[in-house]
Amino acid sequence: MKRLLKLTILSVIIFTALGCKKYLDINENTNSATESSPNLVLPAALNNTASNFVTYFNYGAWMAGYQANAGGYSFTGSTFFTYNWNSGTNNGLFNAAFSDLRSYQYIITSTTGVNKFVLYNAVSRVMKSYYYQILVDEYGNVPYSEGLAGVDNLTPHYDDAATVYKSLVTEIDAAIKDLQTYGSSSVVTALGSADVMFKGDVTKWIKFANNIKLRILTRAQAGTLASYAAAGFNTFSAEGFLTEDITINPGYVSTSARQNPIWNTYHSTYTGSNGSYAAQQIPTRWIYAFYNGGKLTDASRGALIYKNFTAGTTPINQLGNETGVSSWISGYPAWYIGVGTALNAPETQGIIKSRVMGQLIMPAAETYFLLAEAALNGHLLSGDAATNFENGIKASYNYLQKSGTTTTSATDAALTSYLTAYKAANPASYLVNYSLATTNVQKLEAIITQKYISLNFVNGYEAWQEYKRTGYPAISGTAATTTFVSLQSSATSADRLPVRNLYPTTEYNLNPNVPTGLNAYTSKIFWDVN
């Protein structure tokens, strides 16, 4: 693996927004770090995690069937259409993860044995596990045990993917123990304002760690780690799981480049210019059919996600189709439902809410659906399958109805009313009415399909991994509402989709330990037994 000759550390850029807030970036040399550096590196690393989320967001939106090409732009030959992947494709997925991992590893290395920074050490281990899960799910074997040694090892060994998964669980459990032991201690340095994710709330970090562990065990429960995962479901800490929308906000401001990264990419820059993807990408007919009656009817969430949904004039397309394609509604990205354009665009509800909204990295809905599947498989971690299933649907609606920077949830009555109306609009569908699912196969399909809907233009990367694992939501044929596969697919797999990415060219050029002989269409990740 290519390694910088010097590790990088993140420095703080102070700026003012509603008082003194910190926004951070990377550009200092770790070799000149002082004892207080972890206080500075952690918020910077978390900020970079939020910024780099766009890399996985855009990739997932293509792969999971959430976005297609808009009219007026040529995409002919694009690898997002053809899936003709090689070692030069999608390199950002690999590089973005390791860029941030080096920062978290710096904290871990510099604070190991330094008791006053034990909390910084623990949360960095949680974030390290968060990133390695992402890497394993897309690449399989990765440099783990030797992967972040810097100049001490420029050609690290690639560890077995299943072994890395087990190591991540061990890492999470150890981090949780430290957070439990020292979370309320007055003799260690509190996370405080350096924690731009949970504002120093150690209990939330513990619960988030459990969330990531739940993701890992859920993914690993079939295949070679089946027995290991089954036992692991009995080892979650008593704090339980974080069933709230998890965001990172290092102090975004609307008047500079330091605004929310999704808004900046899909809506407009702080100068008012179109974001890089604002006009080029529109929803697929496939995903739109989950709202407009093509597959399911969901007028409430449809209107909260898509511009002009109620009028039925949202621009939509089938991925890979380049004939007669609708263009965007000038000045309005399809996922912004507000009434203004560019700098005059106000805060609103939905997906693209505000220039200063927190960057969502794990919605509450995803956690509920993970718990629903665990319960379906006999692991009663928190509530039964049906309750978690319905809570997941309500949590998805709840996130969409929030405006701008607000964290105010809808009332229980409003959420129940929405769910009741949704079920009534789909009276014969077990994908909405869980009680109609008569087999475990149907119940799993319902859970994963609703998770897929809840992750629509929220986290397509996770939705894509879940499709690879389960085959849901089910696709068939080539019609625009029956498949999200590109019309230009060159994949040789049965469903005409790839199963993994290939390692970057730089890895092959500089590290002789990189696995070889891999095929993007047949070399599955160890948990992919679908």
Side-chain angles (χ1 to χ4, degrees), residues 48 51-52 101 123 126 142 201 240 253 259 269 328 344 351 441:
N48 269 29
S51 296
N52 281 335
L101 276 167
V123 300
V126 173
V142 291
D201 191 324
V253 289
Q259 61 179 7
T269 68
W328 74 321
N344 294 318
I351 300 288
V441 171

Side-chain angles (χ1 to χ4, degrees), residues 125-417:
R125 283 145 67 197
V126 173
M127 294 306 299
K128 178 180 177 180
S129 299
Y130 164 85
Y131 264 116
Y132 265 111
Q133 178 235 321
I134 289 173
L135 283 166
V136 168
D137 290 350
E138 198 60 34
Y139 291 95
N141 295 359
V142 291
Y144 179 75
S145 59
E146 301 174 354
L148 299 172
V151 295
D152 292 331
N153 189 345
L154 298 176
T155 57
H157 169 70
Y158 272 64
D159 296 276
D160 171 72
T163 302
V164 173
Y165 247 38
K166 292 169 69 174
S167 296
L168 298 183
V169 172
T170 300
E171 188 86 75
I172 287 170
D173 287 344
I176 287 175
K177 184 176 181 181
D178 282 346
L179 290 167
Q180 290 172 325
T181 302
Y182 299 102
S184 60
S185 173
S186 60
V187 299
V188 302
T189 302
L191 296 169
S193 61
D195 178 7
V196 296
M197 191 156 148
F198 295 128
K199 298 178 173 59
D201 191 324
V202 172
T203 299
K204 287 186 177 181
W205 273 107
I206 294 172
K207 291 182 176 182
F208 175 61
N210 278 331
N211 285 13
I212 300 305
K213 180 177 174 178
L214 180 58
R215 260 190 192 172
I216 291 169
L217 294 179
T218 298
R219 205 86 90 224
Q221 63 188 330
T224 58
L225 289 186
S227 59
Y228 170 83
F233 277 102
N234 298 316
T235 63
F236 289 99
S237 73
E239 288 83 359
F241 306 90
L242 192 56
T243 52
E244 64 180 53
D245 297 315
I246 300 170
T247 63
I248 297 175
N249 195 335
Y252 296 126
V253 289
S254 60
T255 55
S256 78
R258 304 174 188 118
Q259 61 179 7
N260 175 276
I262 296 298
W263 179 286
N264 193 72
T265 303
Y266 282 90
H267 192 285
S268 59
T269 68
Y270 77 100
T271 64
S273 301
N274 295 340
S276 54
Y277 301 143
Q280 299 179 32
Q281 288 150 218
I282 57 177
T284 64
R285 294 182 182 277
W286 156 269
I287 189 61
Y288 206 69
F290 282 98
Y291 304 92
N292 73 349
K295 287 193 280 284
L296 297 174
T297 298
D298 191 353
S300 294
R301 278 193 287 182
L304 285 169
I305 295 172
Y306 299 117
K307 184 71 176 176
N308 291 358
F309 176 85
T310 302
T313 57
T314 307
I316 53 179
N317 187 30
Q318 183 174 12
L319 182 63
N321 171 49
E322 297 188 88
T323 303
V325 183
S326 299
S327 298
W328 74 321
I329 304 167
S330 184
Y332 288 97
W335 298 272
Y336 175 71
I337 65 172
V339 296
T341 61
L343 296 180
N344 294 318
E347 292 189 354
T348 188
Q349 297 171 297
I351 300 288
I352 305 178
K353 301 175 184 289
S354 165
R355 294 180 185 276
V356 295
M357 68 182 190
Q359 180 53 55
L360 180 66
I361 65 165
M362 188 171 192
E366 181 189 349
T367 306
Y368 279 121
F369 289 121
L370 286 167
L371 290 170
E373 183 176 350
L376 174 64
N377 292 327
H379 309 296
L380 298 177
L381 304 175
S382 176
D384 59 36
T387 300
N388 282 308
F389 175 83
E390 294 193 344
N391 282 341
I393 294 174
K394 290 191 288 187
S396 172
Y397 172 78
N398 184 44
Y399 175 72
L400 295 173
Q401 66 80 39
K402 295 177 182 178
S403 296
T405 57
T406 182
T407 57
T408 303
S409 295
T411 65
D412 289 341
L415 295 176
T416 299
S417 177

Side-chain angles (χ1 to χ4, degrees), residues 61-69 75-85 284 286 317-322 464 467 475-480 482-498:
W62 287 116
M63 296 310 304
Y66 295 153
Q67 70 182 10
N69 46 298
F75 286 83
T76 301
S78 166
T79 55
F80 279 122
F81 286 10
T82 65
Y83 312 131
N84 186 22
W85 292 355
T284 64
W286 156 269
N317 187 30
Q318 183 174 12
L319 182 63
N321 171 49
E322 297 188 88
W464 171 235
Y467 171 78
I475 61 176
S476 61
T478 59
T482 62
T483 185
F484 58 81
V485 180
S486 172
L487 291 173
Q488 298 181 27
S489 172
S490 60
T492 57
S493 50
D495 60 6
R496 299 188 302 121
L497 289 164

